[in-house]
Each structure stands twice: as C-alpha cells, then as structure tokens.
C-alpha cells in the first residue's frame, strides 16, 4: 500500500490536463464504475491486469528504461538510471526524458516528492531477471542470521557492528562500492573469478532444477569462496540455487557497461512524395477495396457461405466467394472479418448470413461503407489475412480465434511509425516500416510466415489505402487519432459517390466506373456475370445469365426495361436480340414433379379420374388427354383407384406390367423348449446357429441383387462420361484423391458423411508409407482433418497422398 499511496500523492499533485492524459492512456482503469477518489484510481492503476494492458502500448525506449529501473531494485534517482542506460547527455538524454514522461503518462513510473523514480510493483514483476540481473543484496539477505552476516564481514576484513540491521547495512554499503568489489574479486582464486565472471554476464540465468527437502550437496567449483564473502548468496539451509546480488553483477560488468537503450527508431530509406501523390494512390486503393468489399458481401447475401463443423468458413467457401467476386483471398478474408465485427454478418445455424444492418449498409454511399469497415479493422483483435498457421495448415475465416492484443497493437504501431515520417517523405519500400513498427510496439505480434516484420499488417494497410506511397494517408491519420467523424469525412473526400449508371456495349458488356450503387449491382448480378471489380467493374451478358434472370421470375420486357433505366444510352441491339432469343426458347420444355404417372387409351376415362372428387386427395393433374400425373405414390394411387371401383394395373420402370404375387402365409418357427440352466453350451450353439441363419439369409438377398445387376457398372468420370457421382462428397474426394479407385472413393466419402472411422494407406512427403485408422473426419479440400489413432492426436492429411482405403 505504500507505493500505491505514493502514486496517489503524485496523482494528486497533477494538474487537470496532465491527469486527464494519464486517464486517457489507461482507460481500462476508469471503466465503470468510475473511481471515486485518487487513491482508488491509484489502486486500479497498479493492479496487475491494468499494468498488463498498458505494456503492449509502450515503445522500445520506454520498455528499456522500465527494465533498467527494475534492475536497479528499489527507488532510484534519474541520474542513476541515466548512467546505467548511457543516456547522460545529447539525444540519448532527451530520449530518456521522453520515455520517462510516457511512462508517467501511463502511471507506471513516477517521481516522488524527492524526485526519486518509483515503479508500480506489478511492472517490476514483468521481468524475472531484468537485464539478466538478480535481486539486490538487502533482499537476498533478508533471511540471513546475525552470525552469518558477522562471518561475511569478518571474512571481508570489516569490523562487524553490534546489531543485525547494522551488520546488514555495512555489508550493503561495502557491496555498493564497485571498486571495493573489484579489490575483493582480485584476491579470489582463478576458478572463483571465472565463476563470478560467468555469473555476472548479461545473459539470462539458466533454469535450474531445485530438489526440495534436501540441501544441494554439489556447489559449483569456486562457489564456496564467493559465498563466504557475500558475492554469491544461497539459502541459509542450502536449499535452492546460488544467486548473485545485483550490486555485485554490475560491479563485475565494469564501469563501461551500459544497458541497451535505443532512443531513436531505426532509419529507413526515404523518398520524396507529395501529399497529392499520397492522396491519389490512397483514393485508388480505397475505391478498389470498397468495390471489392461490396461485391463480396453481395455474394454472401445471395448465397450465404456454409460454416465448417469445427466453426468458421473453410477454404472451399472462400475460394467460391473469391471466384464469384474476382477478389483476392486476402480481400475476402478482410471483408468477412471486418463485416462480422461491424455486425454486417452473423452466424445463422450452419451458415453465415447478412444481418439487417447489412441492408442499411448496402444502401449507403461507398465512403460510409468503407469508414465502417476501417473502424472495425482498426480494433480487430487478429490479423485477418493470416491464411495458414505455423504448420502451414489452412485457417478458416471467422473461426472465432482468441483475441490477440499483440495483433491490434501491431496495427496501431504501424500508424504511429508512419506518422513519424518527415513531412513530404515516405519509405522507399513499405516493408521498411517493419523495424520501425517493432520500435514503436516491441510487444506486438508478427506472423511466423511474414517474410519481413509485420508484412501482413502492412499489406492490409495498403489494401485499405491507409499506407500509400510509403506514407500515412489521411485515412491512417484519422485511424491513429481514433477520429470516427474525421475518418468518414476523409472517405467522402477520397471516394467518389456510387455510380448509378452503366455503359452497356454492343459486345454484351456492362462497364461501371467506380463503385456501383446497390440497386445497380443487384440488377447486373441478376442478369449478367461479373468479370472484374475494383475501380471499374465489368459484367458480361450471355444466354445463361439472361436465362438465370428468367428463371428468377423476371419477364423479358421487365429485364429490358430495367437495363434501359440504368444504361448510359440506348440498349445495344445485340443485347435486345439476346433477351428476345433467350426468352423465346425459355420454358419450351417443362418439368413437373410427380410421384407416379397414369396413362391410358381412353381420354374420357382419364378426364373422369381427374374430375373425381373422391380422388382429389391424390393430386391428379392432366398433362395430355391420355396422361395424368399424381402427387401420391404408386401404391397409394393404385389403392385409391381400386377403392373407387376402377381396375388399374401397375407398371415397372421398364414399362412392363407388374405381376403382383401373393406370398402364402406360414407360421413362425416353433419356439424351442427351454433348456436347463446349466446347459450353457447348448444355448450358445443355438444362438450361433440363429445368427448364422440370419447372416445366410442376408447374403442370399445380397447375392440375388448382385446377380441381377449389370456385370460392370460405369464409374463416374468428371471429364464427360455423363455418369453422376452418388454424393457431392464423392465428387470432391475423387477430384483430389487421384490414387484412389472409385470403390475407395465411395468408402472414404461415406465415412466422412456418416462420421464413422476408416483405415487409410498414407504416403508422407518423405515417402514413408503408413497405415492409419482415422476418425472424426472433417473434409477441407485439399486436406482431410481427422483424429489419428496411430499418433493419438489431431492430424491433417493431404487427399492426394491417400493411396488406399480399408474399413476400420
């Protein structure tokens, strides 16, 4: 509570604007209910959770200054900290002042009434061994006895005082003098000097295995000499590792040793760039992304993507959306993640569907649309373009990954890094911003697959137009300031309004410059196929696209009228001919659902059946004078007609009359007499014979069915044989598992659909061949995710490497 009251006293001395700045940097500490006093605020500010939230926002020099202060132990003077960091003058001194000011704004380090720097206790605990240094001598000897302290002083040649506190103070005073430590070490044996030099190194201490209950019997060679003089400290009972006080380590590192301190960010190769060039490129990128995002969400509206059983949208659905909208996978992923965060998409059973908020969003201008997605991207707790994990496994979108504060801070660090560039200059390559981002946010997360630091985040910023020509655009400046109104205004300035007309050419294409309006995009998507989208979108009309509109219930005249209303000029004659010709052939053949068909040679009889009021429940409909269709099954229709006195006959699928034989009824087999309780062998043999009889009967049925089948059944061929696959899963598996026969494909597809186990012969990338039993199968083309019973773990298998399938 002492440090907390000290922080409260320091906060109480601040003026209003400075305290407001502290609250702004640590808004987690003022979440409802609001603190009622400065003391309560100080208590919240020093809680471990609050400090942990502030750490990722610190720059590299702030973390370096905080670590150095933690290494110095208790409260330290600014001069001692500056000496340790080598920041006593020049640019380094100014950088240290700025770092201490930033730490004070976060209420992590503050000066007390005497100017001494104090640190939040939770912040000191962030490092196990700051700068590779251990605890101060006074804390390490807190449990030492008075006699032990007296022995160390006598060995050092110091007359011991009378009390324990005085002896401890004398020993601390001696060890605080680097020259005194150097003189003592100079008299040490060579093996002890070597041990002390190793222990004083700046590398972190190696973890040691501690055996509780028995003292450590094996000290390092030369350690006893140092233990007797307090240069190394061990528990008085010999438990635990041997530790070196921070005063001794700093003295042995020498007066020239300094802690690392980087007051300035890394330099990058800069090029001259005007604000007009930045704005022009940002406008182009933002316009293209807004158009792509609108088309991606429009595709999700027309056909909501299916979710995997494990959650998220898999690679197959992402590829479908990407192909339909002509957008990159990165754009599709960013759009889905930001739209979901903004409430435009939501989970709806086994699919992800647009919400009512999307309907409002789709009617807005491109500037308002983009501003909403940008705001969502700014605070997104993940990197949406991350398509693969560390094992190179494809990651689904909207998988509900745990929040990642480091991912969000990487984005904010990029804004800060680009904002610090000199006016009128940008980096020659956007990747050069990576090291600067690491300086502004050292604790930010970078993806394992990034070729350069923070490559994915930088690429996302370029797609949005936040980074343009290697500089921060107006969009990025407003995102850095978290200014929603300014961001919307910047989007309105950079993005043109939605286009409501299209140029329809004689080559049956419709070209829309800029972002198409919602009504225009819906109409063209319904009547044409989108070929490209971006700063200009192109649709192409074809007989198939017009037929699709006719199938949706649009009349030919309505199609022509709607297209004429959005066309920049009169409709080209080829398009009018295309609509008319397609409509002329549309519906010439009609397909009606029917459970069975009734036909005969007497039209009057069939008309009578169709008009019979007692047969209305069959749903009879007359297609021709001699043909009726029924919505009821063949047996139901047959029974109803016979009940009304008619004499119909049933036909087989081949058109021949079905012969109805009545099987004679026979009594069931007599139940055998009960056997004696002790005759277990007889009971078992009867059960076996009964089971074998049932199995033989089943085999007879199967044999009859196989004999009646054709000698060889044609196998499905995706390249034009015309034989369909049994299920969609079979078709997908056959497309990727090229080494499997159709029989193996069917087994594997059935196991996937039915959720049963299967045994496969698998060839790894190394060429080794193994047989594995798999269960909990999840198809994610071109991969198969499953629980491997051989490895007792989740594994991902490539379908093309499965060479055989066996029942489990």
């Amino acid at each position: 509570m002492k440090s907390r009251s000290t922080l409260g006293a320091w906060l109480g001395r601040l003026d209003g604007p400075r305290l407001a700045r502290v609250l702004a940097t640590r808004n987690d500490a003022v979440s409802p209910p609001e603190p009622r006093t400065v003391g309560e605020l100080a208590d919240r500010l020093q809680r471990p959770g609050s400090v942990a939230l502030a750490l990722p926002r610190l720059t590299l020099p702030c973390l370096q200054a905080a670590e150095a202060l933690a290494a110095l132990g208790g409260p330290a003077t600014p001069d001692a900290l500056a000496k340790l960091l080598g920041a006593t003058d020049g640019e380094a001194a100014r950088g240290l002042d700025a770092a201490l000011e930033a730490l004070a704004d976060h209420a992590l380090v503050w000066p007390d009434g005497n100017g001494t720097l104090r640190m939040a206790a939770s912040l000191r605990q962030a490092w196990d061994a700051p700068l590779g240094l251990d605890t101060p001598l006074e804390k390490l000897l807190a449990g030492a006895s008075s006699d032990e302290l007296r022995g160390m002083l006598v060995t050092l040649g110091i007359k011991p005082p009378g009390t324990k506190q005085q002896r401890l103070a004398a020993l601390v005073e001696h060890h605080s003098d680097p020259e005194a430590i150097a003189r003592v070490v100079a008299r040490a044996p060579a093996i002890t000097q070597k041990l002390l030099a190793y222990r004083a190194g700046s590398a972190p201490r190696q973890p040691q295995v501690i055996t509780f209950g028995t003292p450590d019997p094996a000290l390092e060679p030369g350690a006893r000499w140092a233990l007797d003089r307090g240069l190394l400290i061990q528990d008085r009972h010999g438990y635990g590792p041997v530790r070196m006080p921070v005063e001794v380590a700093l003295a042995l590192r020498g007066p020239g040793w300094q802690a690392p301190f980087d007051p300035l960010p890394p330099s990058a190769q800069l090029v001259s760039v005007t604000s007009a060039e930045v704005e022009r490129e940002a406008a182009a990128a933002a316009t293209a992304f807004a158009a792509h995002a609108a088309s991606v969400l429009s595709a999700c509206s027309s056909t909501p993507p299916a979710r995997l059983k494990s959650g998220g949208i898999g690679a197959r659905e992402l590829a479908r959306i990407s192909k339909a909208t002509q957008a990159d996978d990165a754009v599709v992923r960013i759009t889905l993640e930001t739209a979901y965060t903004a409430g435009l998409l939501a989970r709806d059973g086994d699919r992800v569907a647009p919400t009512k908020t999307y309907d409002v969003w789709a009617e807005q201008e491109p500037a308002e649309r983009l501003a909403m997605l940008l705001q969502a991207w700014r605070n997104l707790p993940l990197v949406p373009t991350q398509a693969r994990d560390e094992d190179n496994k494809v990651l689904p979108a909207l998988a509900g990954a745990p929040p990642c504060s480091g991912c969000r801070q990487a984005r904010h660090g990029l804004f800060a890094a680009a904002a610090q560039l000199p006016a009128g200059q940008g980096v020659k390559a956007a990747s050069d911003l990576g090291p600067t981002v690491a300086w502004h946010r050292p604790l930010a997360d970078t993806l394992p697959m990034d070729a350069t630091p923070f490559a994915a985040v930088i690429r996302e910023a370029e797609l949005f137009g936040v980074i343009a020509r290697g500089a921060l655009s107006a969009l990025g400046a407003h995102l850095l300031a978290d200014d929603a109104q300014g961001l919307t205004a910047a989007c309105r300035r950079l993005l043109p309004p939605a286009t409501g007309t299209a140029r329809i050419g004689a080559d049956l294409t419709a070209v829309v410059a800029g972002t198409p309006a919602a009504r225009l995009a819906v109409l063209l998507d319904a009547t044409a196929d989108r070929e490209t989208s971006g700063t200009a979108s192109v649709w192409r009309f074809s007989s198939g696209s017009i037929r699709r509109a006719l199938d949706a219930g649009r009349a030919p005249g309505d199609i022509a009228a709607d297209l004429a209303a959005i066309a920049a000029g009169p409709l080209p004659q080829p398009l009018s001919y295309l609509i008319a010709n397609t409509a002329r052939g549309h519906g010439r053949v009609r397909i009606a659902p029917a459970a069975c068909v009734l036909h005969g040679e007497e039209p009057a009889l069939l008309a009578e059946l169709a008009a019979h009021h007692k047969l209305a429940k069959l749903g009879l409909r007359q297609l021709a004078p001699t043909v009726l269709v029924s919505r009821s099954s063949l047996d139901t229709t047959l029974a109803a007609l016979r009940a009304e006195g008619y004499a119909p006959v049933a036909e087989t699928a081949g058109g021949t009359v079905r012969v109805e034989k009545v099987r004679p009824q026979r009594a069931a087999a007599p139940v055998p007499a009960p056997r004696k309780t002790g005759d277990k062998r007889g009971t078992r043999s009867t059960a076996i014979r009964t089971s074998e009889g049932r199995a033989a009967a089943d085999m007879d049925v199967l044999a009859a069915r196989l004999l009646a089948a054709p000698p060889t059944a044609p196998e499905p061929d995706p390249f034009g044989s015309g034989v369909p696959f049994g299920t969609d899963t079979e078709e997908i598996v056959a497309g990727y598992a090229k080494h499997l026969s159709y029989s193996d494909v069917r087994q594997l597809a059935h196991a996937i659909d039915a959720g049963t186990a299967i045994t496969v012969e698998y060839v790894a990338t190394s060429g080794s061949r193994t047989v594995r039993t798999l269960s909990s199968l999840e198809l994610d083309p071109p991969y198969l995710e499953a629980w491997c019973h051989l490895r007792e773990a989740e594994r991902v298998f490539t379908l093309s490497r499965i060479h055989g399938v066996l029942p489990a």
Side-chain angles (χ1 to χ4, degrees):
M1 291 300 295
K2 182 178 179 181
S3 62
R4 294 184 179 182
S5 62
T6 304
L7 175 60
W10 176 74
L11 291 172
R13 294 195 301 268
L14 300 180
D15 56 13
R18 179 70 186 278
L19 182 59
R21 195 165 69 195
V22 173
L23 297 178
T25 58
R26 298 285 297 280
N27 52 17
D28 59 283
V30 293
S31 57
E34 296 179 357
R36 293 169 295 180
T37 64
V38 174
E40 183 181 351
L41 174 62
D43 182 77
R44 290 192 189 185
L45 288 171
Q46 295 198 95
R47 290 176 181 173
S50 178
V51 172
L53 290 175
L55 282 177
R57 307 175 189 175
L58 299 179
T59 62
L60 180 59
C62 288
L63 285 176
Q64 289 173 332
E67 184 178 6
L69 189 59
L72 289 175
T77 63
D79 292 339
L81 179 62
K83 182 179 179 182
L84 179 59
L85 293 173
T88 54
D89 56 11
E91 195 68 45
R94 289 190 291 272
L96 178 58
D97 291 339
L100 291 175
E101 186 77 9
L103 289 170
D105 284 343
H106 287 83
L108 297 173
V109 174
W110 64 92
D112 62 12
N114 300 322
T116 303
L117 297 176
R118 295 185 176 272
M119 171 185 286
S122 299
L123 178 59
R124 183 179 290 109
Q125 296 167 4
W127 297 276
D128 291 333
L131 301 179
L133 300 173
D134 209 321
T135 310
L137 178 66
E138 185 175 3
K139 293 184 179 180
L140 290 178
L141 291 177
S145 66
S146 180
D147 289 340
E148 289 174 330
L149 297 176
R150 180 182 182 281
M152 292 180 187
L153 291 171
V154 170
T155 307
L156 289 170
I158 302 173
K159 182 179 179 180
T163 65
K164 175 182 176 180
Q165 290 75 14
Q166 291 173 340
R167 292 173 180 177
L168 178 59
L171 193 60
V172 170
E173 181 182 359
H174 176 271
H175 280 42
S176 299
D177 184 0
E179 296 181 359
I181 294 294
R183 289 193 297 268
V184 173
V185 173
R187 301 194 302 267
I191 191 170
T192 302
Q193 292 182 1
K194 183 177 180 181
L195 173 62
L196 292 175
Y198 170 75
R199 287 278 185 167
S202 59
R205 301 191 311 273
Q206 297 297 321
Q208 301 184 26
V209 178
I210 304 174
T211 304
F212 294 97
T214 58
D216 187 357
L219 290 173
E220 297 176 82
R224 176 51 58 189
W225 193 94
L227 287 169
D228 292 341
R229 289 159 179 79
L231 302 178
L232 295 177
I233 306 297
Q234 190 179 30
D235 182 85
R236 59 181 300 186
H237 300 293
Y239 298 114
V242 175
R243 304 169 68 176
M244 175 177 283
V246 61
E247 297 91 342
V248 177
L250 289 176
L252 293 178
R253 290 182 184 182
W257 182 84
Q258 296 174 347
F261 187 63
D262 301 285
L264 297 177
S267 59
Q269 187 174 359
L270 302 178
V271 293
S272 298
V273 58
T274 64
S275 58
E277 292 173 334
V278 174
E279 187 163 311
R280 186 164 54 249
E281 183 166 323
T287 302
F289 184 86
H292 282 305
S295 60
V296 167
L297 295 180
S298 177
C300 294
S301 177
S302 58
T303 307
R307 296 175 59 215
L308 299 173
K309 291 182 180 179
S310 58
I313 301 176
R316 184 180 181 185
E317 284 292 285
L318 292 174
R320 177 185 66 80
I321 297 173
S322 179
K323 181 178 180 181
T325 59
Q326 299 297 314
D328 292 338
D329 179 75
V331 174
V332 174
R333 287 177 178 271
I334 294 177
T335 302
L336 293 177
E337 295 286 359
T338 54
Y340 185 83
T341 302
L344 306 181
L345 297 176
R347 294 183 177 92
D348 184 17
D350 60 348
R351 293 189 174 272
V352 176
T355 62
K356 293 182 180 179
T357 307
Y358 164 75
D359 298 330
V360 178
W361 180 86
E363 296 295 332
Q364 293 177 337
E365 289 293 327
E368 282 75 12
R369 298 184 201 171
L370 181 64
M372 181 178 288
L373 297 181
L374 275 170
Q375 278 292 117
W377 175 70
R378 179 188 184 276
N379 299 314
L380 204 61
L382 52 89
V383 180
T385 54
Q386 183 179 2
R388 295 182 178 272
D389 60 9
E390 296 179 0
D391 299 328
N392 203 33
K393 173 186 170 184
V394 177
L395 293 174
L398 301 181
C404 171
S405 174
C407 298
R408 184 188 296 111
Q409 293 305 323
R411 206 171 295 119
H412 296 176
L414 175 61
F415 303 153
Q420 295 298 320
L421 296 176
Q425 290 187 317
V427 293
K428 185 175 183 180
S431 59
D432 294 343
L433 287 171
T436 311
V437 175
W439 185 89
H440 282 275
R441 294 294 189 275
L443 300 182
D445 291 344
T446 184
L447 300 183
M449 62 285 303
D450 282 346
T452 57
F454 304 102
V457 175
I458 295 172
R459 174 59 180 153
E460 291 174 11
E462 289 181 317
L463 288 174
F464 272 111
V466 172
I467 299 295
R469 298 296 297 271
L472 192 69
S473 69
L475 300 177
H478 291 295
L479 286 176
L480 176 63
D482 197 12
D483 181 8
Q485 293 182 350
L487 177 64
T488 304
C491 289
R492 288 176 182 151
R493 189 179 72 254
L494 294 179
L495 274 69
T499 305
T501 59
R503 296 196 306 273
I504 302 179
D507 58 349
L508 300 180
T509 60
V511 180
V512 178
T515 304
R519 177 177 173 274
L520 175 62
V522 170
L523 175 60
L524 292 178
D525 284 337
T527 57
D529 297 314
R530 190 190 294 256
E531 290 190 340
T532 60
S533 59
T535 52
S537 303
V538 179
W539 283 263
R540 182 172 297 278
F541 297 95
S542 65
S543 57
S545 65
I546 299 298
R547 184 168 57 249
R548 185 174 67 240
L550 295 171
D551 291 339
R554 292 177 179 264
D558 293 340
I559 295 176
D562 291 342
L563 292 176
I566 57 93
L571 286 185
Q573 195 175 51
L575 179 58
S576 301
Y577 285 164
L578 177 65
I579 297 173
N581 291 337
T582 305
R584 190 177 301 113
H586 187 260
R588 293 177 64 184
V589 176
R590 296 175 178 267
I591 302 174
C596 63
V597 178
L598 293 76
H599 65 94
E601 298 179 356
E602 302 179 32
L605 176 58
L606 293 175
E608 177 185 337
L609 294 177
H612 201 299
H613 69 280
K614 290 188 177 180
L615 299 177
K617 60 183 179 180
L618 297 178
L620 300 178
R621 185 162 71 93
Q622 192 165 13
L623 296 182
T626 58
V627 179
L628 297 178
V629 294
S630 172
R631 293 198 302 267
S632 303
S633 65
L634 186 148
D635 291 335
T636 302
T637 305
L638 197 65
L641 264 64
R642 287 174 176 172
E644 295 302 321
Y646 297 97
V649 295
E651 290 184 352
T652 64
T656 60
V657 176
R658 189 179 73 182
V659 178
E660 301 181 11
K661 292 184 178 181
V662 180
R663 297 181 179 273
Q665 291 186 342
R666 295 291 183 268
V671 179
R675 296 182 179 271
K676 297 180 180 180
T677 306
D679 192 4
K680 296 182 179 179
R681 185 168 57 90
T683 304
R684 174 178 172 83
S685 61
T686 301
I688 293 176
R689 285 197 300 271
T690 305
S691 176
E692 289 176 349
R694 286 198 301 267
D698 293 341
M699 292 302 102
D700 290 342
V701 173
L702 177 60
R705 188 163 64 247
L706 292 176
L707 290 174
T712 57
E715 294 186 2
D717 179 11
F719 301 102
S721 68
V723 180
F725 286 91
T727 63
D728 292 341
T729 307
E730 287 183 13
E731 185 174 1
I732 295 171
V733 172
Y736 290 97
K738 300 298 186 181
H739 295 285
L740 297 183
S741 64
Y742 179 56
S743 175
D744 288 346
V745 167
R746 290 183 60 235
Q747 289 188 70
L748 183 55
H750 174 75
I752 294 171
D753 291 335
T756 58
I758 196 73
T759 299
V760 300
E761 182 182 3
Y762 190 76
V763 179
T765 54
S766 61
S768 61
R769 189 180 298 264
T770 58
V771 176
R772 303 168 181 242
T773 298
L774 312 177
S775 59
S776 302
L777 307 178
E778 189 73 38
L779 185 61
D780 188 10
Y783 304 106
L784 178 68
E785 302 176 13
W787 177 267
C788 177
H789 292 257
L790 178 64
R791 304 300 182 193
E792 291 296 328
E794 291 279 351
R795 287 291 186 269
V796 178
F797 301 90
T798 306
L799 287 170
S800 61
R801 295 188 175 278
I802 299 178
H803 285 229
V805 177
L806 301 170

